[in-house]
Amino acid sequence: MNRKPLVGAAVGILAVIILVVSMLPGSDFLKGVVPKDVKLPGSLSTIYSDLKPLDVQLNDISVLSVSEKEATLELKFNVYNPNNKPLLLEMISFNIFENDIKVGYGEIGERLGGQYANSNYYTVLSGSSLLVHDKIPLKNTGNNPEFWLTLQQGTPEWRIKGEAFYSTTSAFSGLANSTSFDFTK
């Protein structure tokens, strides 16, 4: 039996697999092979480019309501994508402090899991900004009466500290990225 065609087919299949994997967005293979000054087609140029972090800014924090038992805050974040390709903002996770005492926490979005269709994420287009916001409930546990008085008087000194998680729009990229932030208002 002649094994040359079988070996040739196996080598050919292996070569195709290596080529496909090397061209996925998470692969740095092209960066080592293709010189930087070469003009690439659109789809290959997005693979070749370096990923810059999203720029997350606290746009506003508002106290929507305050009672003796609970309060509702609204936080608004402006997210800018400096890249030449869209990115998925998976989640912004943050802690809320008043005078360096943690008084709450929140999350906007959710981390990508096994299925894209059911995930709650935001697409941030290239060179664009996106305003994301959420209402955060706070319960009055009675442990921090000074904070609750400050909240009712409308004079809190906020500090918002957290992290934004994002990735490329490719399900096969395997890249999980994050950027941290720390704002006072």
Side-chain angles (χ1 to χ4, degrees):
M1 178 169 159
N2 191 357
R3 294 183 187 208
K4 284 185 180 182
L6 208 53
V7 171
V11 169
I13 290 172
L14 184 60
V16 168
I17 291 172
I18 290 172
L19 181 65
V20 168
V21 168
S22 69
M23 295 185 84
L24 288 173
S27 172
D28 287 337
F29 177 77
L30 280 180
K31 291 180 184 179
V33 175
V34 180
K36 278 196 178 240
D37 55 348
V38 172
K39 202 129 173 85
L40 296 170
S43 60
L44 289 178
S45 67
T46 60
I47 292 170
Y48 187 76
S49 65
D50 289 325
L51 192 63
K52 298 174 192 133
L54 287 177
D55 180 25
V56 179
Q57 297 295 320
L58 178 64
N59 189 312
D60 189 31
I61 180 169
S62 307
V63 179
L64 299 179
S65 65
V66 181
S67 71
E68 291 297 320
K69 296 184 179 194
E70 61 186 15
T72 303
L73 305 179
E74 183 176 39
L75 278 82
K76 296 179 183 178
F77 294 94
N78 189 45
V79 182
Y80 174 72
N81 179 5
N83 296 285
N84 64 351
K85 58 185 164 188
L87 294 179
L88 297 178
L89 173 62
E90 298 173 9
M91 179 174 67
I92 298 177
S93 176
F94 52 90
N95 290 311
I96 304 167
F97 299 88
E98 202 279 331
N99 279 334
D100 292 324
I101 298 171
K102 183 177 173 181
V103 295
Y105 65 92
E107 293 178 346
I108 300 174
E110 67 183 48
R111 295 294 306 268
L112 290 177
Q115 298 179 2
Y116 275 83
N118 294 334
S119 296
N120 182 18
Y121 58 90
Y122 303 88
T123 303
V124 187
L125 299 175
S126 61
S128 297
S129 292
L130 179 68
L131 183 66
V132 294
H133 58 93
D134 200 7
K135 295 177 182 172
I136 309 299
L138 300 178
K139 300 285 183 201
N140 185 356
T141 61
N143 293 338
N144 194 347
E146 297 85 20
F147 164 66
W148 216 256
L149 181 61
T150 302
L151 196 60
Q152 290 173 328
Q153 293 172 346
T155 58
E157 295 180 24
W158 300 112
R159 180 175 177 201
I160 311 300
K161 186 176 180 180
E163 195 167 9
F165 300 92
Y166 58 95
S167 65
T168 62
T169 56
S170 170
F172 304 108
S173 68
L175 295 176
N177 299 287
S178 67
T179 185
S180 297
F181 55 84
D182 191 346
F183 304 113
T184 55
K185 189 150 178 125

